[in-house]
Amino acid sequence: RKPVLMVGGAGTAKTSTALMFLGKQDPTKMLVKRVNFSSATTPFGAQQSIEVELEKRGGKSFGPPGNRAMTVFMDDVSMPEINAWGDQPTLELVRLIVEQGGFAFLDKDKRGELKICEDLQYIAAMQHPGGGKNDIPNRLKRNFFIFNLVLPSIVSINDIYGQMLKGRFPAADFSEAAAEVLSKLTAVTIQLWKSCKDKLLPTPAKFHYIFNMRELSR
């Protein structure tokens, strides 16, 4: 039940890993709620996205319908905007629900009272901070068990894409000359990708210069 945070660069399969794991859950026992964070995500929006999935269980306690549990997957959790004082109010709301197990009622007659959210567990994903990407507060980070996801080695990448090409272009169906080109194509493509990644670094004017595994696949 410990909240989990996956940290890694673009293309390290953070979202895919979470969705593959969540896809194996029994829907009769475990529901899944995916919340995509962005710079426009507000505390109110984050609270409502979770609150809408809950039903009243009694008193101030709420939980997923059918007495089931629910995993909330918070993707790009570091994206909410940092205000003029260096705070991220949206992430303070996230900390409240992860740490205290609930958030405040928004109804006028109950405003300020804590709404208890039962049977929820949390998975979050974010990119490595730096280079224009936000970090999350240590107050929030301390609640998570953190996994660092890294790109596979060049040898592993070569094996992955080499096998894909061999399956797509079987040697029995092509000439020896074509097969020879095919054996070199993966290594040449990876070398070009690595050169672009090392030399064409992102800048404020060219922030889109990010060459990850997705670009290699394309």
Side-chain angles (χ1 to χ4, degrees):
R1 300 294 301 272
K2 178 76 174 176
V4 170
L5 172 63
M6 294 181 290
V7 183
T12 51
K14 300 181 297 296
T15 301
S16 298
T17 300
L19 294 180
M20 282 191 292
F21 169 74
L22 295 172
K24 295 178 181 178
Q25 303 304 306
D26 182 357
T28 63
K29 298 178 180 178
M30 177 67 70
L31 299 175
V32 176
K33 173 64 177 181
R34 180 178 178 181
V35 183
N36 292 307
F37 283 74
S38 72
S39 58
T41 304
T42 62
F44 177 73
Q47 177 168 336
Q48 273 209 318
S49 63
I50 298 173
E51 201 170 26
V52 71
E53 304 293 335
L54 308 179
E55 62 179 20
K56 188 168 184 176
R57 290 185 172 177
K60 298 178 183 178
S61 297
F62 290 73
N67 285 322
R68 290 174 286 184
M70 184 169 73
T71 299
V72 180
F73 174 43
M74 298 177 284
D75 204 2
D76 287 324
V77 72
S78 63
M79 289 288 287
E81 187 177 13
I82 298 175
N83 64 20
W85 297 274
D87 299 319
Q88 290 167 287
T90 302
L91 297 188
E92 291 304 318
L93 185 280
V94 172
R95 182 180 66 84
L96 182 66
I97 186 172
V98 172
E99 197 172 272
Q100 302 295 330
F103 35 60
F105 281 95
L106 299 178
D107 311 77
K108 287 185 177 179
D109 56 334
K110 297 180 181 178
R111 190 169 292 167
E113 296 181 21
L114 188 67
K115 174 184 287 189
I116 306 300
C117 300
E118 300 176 339
D119 296 327
L120 298 184
Q121 56 190 39
Y122 307 94
I123 299 176
M126 61 176 280
Q127 292 199 31
H128 288 132
K133 300 178 182 66
N134 298 335
D135 198 358
I136 64 174
N138 289 330
R139 293 189 301 272
L140 173 59
K141 206 180 296 180
R142 70 187 178 189
N143 293 289
F144 288 92
F145 188 90
I146 300 175
F147 289 96
N148 181 38
L149 277 63
V150 298
L151 286 170
S153 67
I154 296 297
V155 174
S156 298
I157 295 172
N158 198 1
D159 287 342
I160 293 167
Y161 289 99
Q163 292 299 323
M164 290 170 62
L165 287 175
K166 285 179 182 177
R168 179 66 179 82
F169 302 101
D173 297 346
F174 295 89
S175 65
E176 289 185 12
E180 186 178 351
V181 170
L182 184 64
S183 65
K184 298 176 181 177
L185 186 59
T186 308
V188 170
T189 305
I190 291 173
Q191 187 177 351
L192 175 62
W193 168 70
K194 194 170 183 302
S195 296
C196 292
K197 190 173 68 166
D198 293 342
K199 295 179 181 179
L200 299 176
L201 301 175
T203 65
K206 298 176 180 177
F207 56 87
H208 58 285
Y209 277 17
I210 299 174
F211 300 95
N212 52 47
M213 289 282 286
R214 297 191 189 108
E215 276 63 46
L216 181 59
S217 298
R218 293 181 187 129

